[in-house]
Amino acid sequence: FLSATGSYGTVSDQNLKENIADSGSQWNDIKAMRVRKYSWKKDKASEANMIGVVAQELESAGMGKLVTTNLESNPGDDGAPDAPTLDSDGNQKSFKSVKTSVIHMKALKALQEAMERIEALEAKVASLGG
């Protein structure tokens, strides 16, 4: 599912899940992600006007499971099947997408980890009389 707005919901009913366990640390994955400013080539913007991640950079950082390669196609006429979009060599074009919903969950876990670290430091400072 790809969305232009980033708005979506997920089924999350405990009655439908099994093997439920706490997640491991996501701290290093979130630290390794580069949040970038950019613009879409098709918009011909004079400067970056979007924010997000770059699929290839996630792959380079060892997070390839967050990346999907999608084949480009053009809608067929009058109910005909979609036609592949080909490059100048006759190969089907593709583009990469990112599982941002997984990134959001990783970020939530990393935020919880940061909160625990902050609370521990606050307790330490309070015990020192600060």
Side-chain angles (χ1 to χ4, degrees):
F1 170 74
L2 299 177
S3 169
T5 64
S7 178
Y8 57 91
T10 57
V11 175
S12 186
D13 191 310
Q14 175 179 319
N15 297 312
L16 302 174
K17 297 179 179 185
E18 62 183 2
N19 303 315
I20 298 170
D22 287 339
S23 167
S25 176
Q26 301 300 309
W27 192 269
N28 290 332
D29 278 359
I30 292 299
K31 279 182 62 175
M33 287 183 195
R34 296 180 71 183
V35 179
R36 312 285 254 151
K37 291 172 47 177
Y38 65 92
S39 59
W40 293 111
K41 289 181 178 181
K42 67 179 179 63
D43 293 340
K44 297 184 181 359
S46 61
E47 60 186 37
N49 59 1
M50 306 290 288
I51 187 169
V53 295
V54 176
Q56 289 83 348
E57 291 177 352
L58 289 176
E59 289 175 321
S60 294
M63 290 177 269
K65 290 183 178 182
L66 298 179
V67 177
T68 303
T69 300
N70 308 274
L71 298 176
E72 289 187 34
S73 60
N74 296 310
D77 294 329
D78 297 323
D82 291 351
T85 304
L86 305 177
D87 64 18
S88 59
D89 294 326
N91 300 310
Q92 188 168 9
K93 290 183 177 182
S94 64
F95 64 94
K96 294 180 184 274
S97 60
V98 173
K99 298 175 185 174
T100 53
S101 60
V102 177
I103 292 174
H104 295 159
M105 289 297 106
K106 285 179 167 291
L108 177 59
K109 178 63 178 174
L111 173 60
Q112 290 175 333
E113 292 177 62
M115 291 169 66
E116 288 175 9
R117 290 180 181 196
I118 291 166
E119 289 168 351
L121 289 171
E122 286 175 337
K124 192 173 212 171
V125 168
S127 73
L128 297 173

